[in-house]
């Protein structure tokens, strides 16, 4: 009898029916959550790409007229074209890697590093556009160049110093973000701070212009577009920060696509709107000089031209 009970002690005790059922329900719930999150993230990615391509179609004729067929500085034109087409290329590559049926874990690991680097490059390129606008509005103040350089360095150092990139996870298809480190959401703090500083600089210029009764329609356009850009981009950066800090791991990529699409679209429109206003002003001035009827020139602050836009 003692040997019988000793033998029974080695037999695994079966789980109670309620515990087994609870485990099955938990697994089904987790799988359903994963599938639902995957669908939401996939829909968000395709929506961001469709939004960006649609915006390109709407403004392509303006791009041809004011960028390709108009003489200008190579820096401004190159910055515009890089910001204009780097975003769609990045989103297409993102979506391809996340939906490709057979990708090795090694490729996913390399792609995660490239993804993080490309996001930083996209954000910094648009901020460069805004910094050039603010630099021109402030009369090419060299102190701002020092400030902008420090901001760039702070963003890069912050992105490197904050605990590293989440590891890749190879699921049924494509590359996905693996386990995330607790403080990784802090990578969004430096861009949020820099965007706030740029917005404050532009709002201060708007206040001084209003105080001094400045009647430059171009300056008003730059301030309006810049403030709208700042509010939109700040909102999407803040949403990403909150999602990464508070939401489930499955939803970490739900808004990341828009942090590339929205800055790319708004940055391009900021440059096109500015060039359009200066182009109309210079055309009207040439017509008035030719006809001798009078000046129709729109107020343009010193230092601003289509070539510098």
């Amino acid at each position: 009898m003692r040997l019988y009970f000793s033998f029974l002690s080695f037999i695994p005790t079966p789980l109670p029916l309620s515990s087994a059922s609870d485990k099955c329900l938990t697994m089904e719930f987790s799988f359903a959550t994963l599938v639902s999150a995957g669908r939401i993230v996939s829909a968000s990615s395709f929506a961001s790409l469709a939004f960006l391509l649609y915006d390109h179609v709407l403004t392509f004729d303006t791009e041809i007229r004011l960028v390709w067929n108009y003489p200008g500085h190579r820096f401004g034109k190159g910055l515009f074209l890089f910001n204009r087409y780097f975003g769609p290329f990045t989103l297409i590559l993102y979506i391809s890697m996340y939906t490709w049926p057979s990708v090795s874990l090694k490729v996913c690991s390399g792609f995660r590093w490239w993804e993080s680097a490309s996001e930083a490059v996209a954000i910094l390129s648009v901020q460069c556009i805004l910094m050039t606008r603010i630099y021109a509005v402030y009369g090419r103040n060299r102190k701002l160049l020092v400030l902008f350089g420090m901001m760039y360095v702070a963003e890069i150092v912050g992105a490197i110093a904050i605990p590293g990139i989440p590891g890749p996870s190879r699921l049924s298809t494509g590359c996905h973000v693996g386990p995330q480190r607790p403080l990784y959401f802090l990578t969004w703090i430096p861009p949020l701070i820099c965007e706030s500083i740029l917005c404050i600089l532009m709002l201060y210029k708007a206040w001084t212009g209003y105080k001094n009764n400045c009647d430059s329609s171009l300056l008003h356009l730059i301030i309006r577009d810049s403030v709208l850009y700042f509010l939109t981009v700040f909102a999407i950066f803040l949403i990403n920060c909150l999602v990464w800090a508070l939401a489930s791991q499955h939803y970490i990529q739900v808004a990341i696509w828009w942090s590339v699409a929205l800055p790319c679209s708004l940055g391009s429109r900021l440059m096109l709107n500015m060039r359009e206003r200066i182009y109309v002003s210079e055309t009207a001035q040439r017509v008035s000089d030719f006809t001798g009827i009078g000046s129709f020139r729109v107020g343009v602050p010193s230092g601003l031209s289509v070539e510098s836009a």
Side-chain angles (χ1 to χ4, degrees):
M1 183 67 66
R2 183 176 301 174
L3 179 63
Y4 173 74
F5 282 111
S6 299
F7 172 75
L8 289 180
S9 64
F10 289 97
I11 300 177
T13 304
L15 289 173
L17 181 60
S18 59
S19 299
S21 301
D22 290 344
K23 279 199 169 185
C24 290
L25 289 175
T26 302
M27 291 178 63
E28 290 179 2
F29 177 76
S30 300
F31 181 74
T33 303
L34 180 62
V35 172
S36 176
R39 290 176 177 175
I40 294 174
V41 171
S42 177
S44 177
S45 65
F46 283 101
S48 64
L49 179 60
F51 164 80
L52 193 55
L53 293 179
Y54 181 68
D55 182 68
H56 275 54
V57 171
L58 291 180
T59 57
F60 187 70
D61 59 334
T62 307
E63 175 188 344
I64 295 296
R65 179 165 50 90
L66 296 178
V67 178
W68 293 99
N69 294 335
Y70 203 96
H73 287 176
R74 293 181 178 179
F75 175 76
K77 184 179 292 186
L79 183 60
F80 171 84
L81 294 176
F82 178 82
N83 173 76
R84 179 82 161 171
Y85 293 100
F86 183 74
F89 168 77
T90 302
L91 289 178
I92 290 173
L93 185 57
Y94 284 1
I95 295 173
S96 300
M97 293 299 295
Y98 283 116
T99 58
W100 200 260
S102 58
V103 183
S104 66
L105 188 61
K106 183 178 181 180
V107 173
C108 286
S109 180
F111 171 71
R112 283 298 300 145
W113 282 98
W114 187 90
E115 180 187 24
S116 298
S118 63
E119 290 169 8
V121 169
I123 293 173
L124 292 175
S125 66
V126 180
Q127 286 183 350
C128 184
I129 295 175
L130 297 170
M131 289 174 180
T132 57
R133 302 283 78 78
I134 296 175
Y135 177 64
V137 166
Y138 274 82
R140 303 178 184 274
N141 190 331
R142 294 186 179 274
K143 294 181 180 179
L144 288 178
L145 292 180
V146 178
L147 174 62
F148 295 156
M150 294 172 60
M151 290 168 57
Y152 258 62
V153 172
E155 285 191 81
I156 296 173
V157 171
I160 296 175
I162 294 171
I165 300 171
S169 174
R170 180 68 176 86
L171 298 180
S172 57
T173 59
C175 298
H176 300 265
V177 177
Q180 182 183 348
R181 299 181 182 178
L183 299 179
Y184 189 60
F185 73 94
L186 294 178
T187 53
W188 293 103
I189 300 301
L192 286 171
I193 294 175
C194 290
E195 293 292 342
S196 300
I197 293 175
L198 295 177
C199 185
I200 291 172
L201 287 172
M202 190 59 74
L203 290 176
Y204 176 77
K205 191 63 178 179
W207 179 77
T208 55
Y210 173 78
K211 185 178 179 181
N212 297 329
N213 297 320
C214 179
D215 195 25
S216 170
S217 60
L218 177 62
L219 180 60
H220 295 165
L221 174 71
I222 295 174
I223 293 174
R224 184 203 68 185
D225 289 354
S226 299
V227 171
L228 291 177
Y229 165 86
F230 292 134
L231 294 176
T232 306
V233 172
F234 185 90
I236 194 62
F237 287 175
L238 182 61
I239 289 173
N240 273 287
C241 183
L242 295 176
V243 168
W244 288 24
L246 304 175
S248 169
Q249 180 72 31
H250 305 315
Y251 295 96
I252 187 175
Q253 293 168 296
V254 71
I256 190 67
W257 324 94
W258 296 96
S259 65
V260 175
L262 285 176
C264 176
S265 172
L266 295 175
S268 298
R269 282 186 172 268
L270 179 65
M271 295 190 73
L272 289 176
N273 289 345
M274 180 177 174
R275 283 181 169 239
E276 179 75 28
R277 181 61 60 90
I278 298 177
Y279 174 78
V280 171
S281 170
E282 292 182 347
T283 302
Q285 182 66 31
R286 286 194 295 266
V287 171
S288 65
D289 292 342
F290 178 76
T291 59
I293 296 177
S295 177
F296 294 95
R297 186 175 180 83
V298 180
V300 177
S302 59
L304 289 178
S305 63
V306 174
E307 287 78 6
S308 63

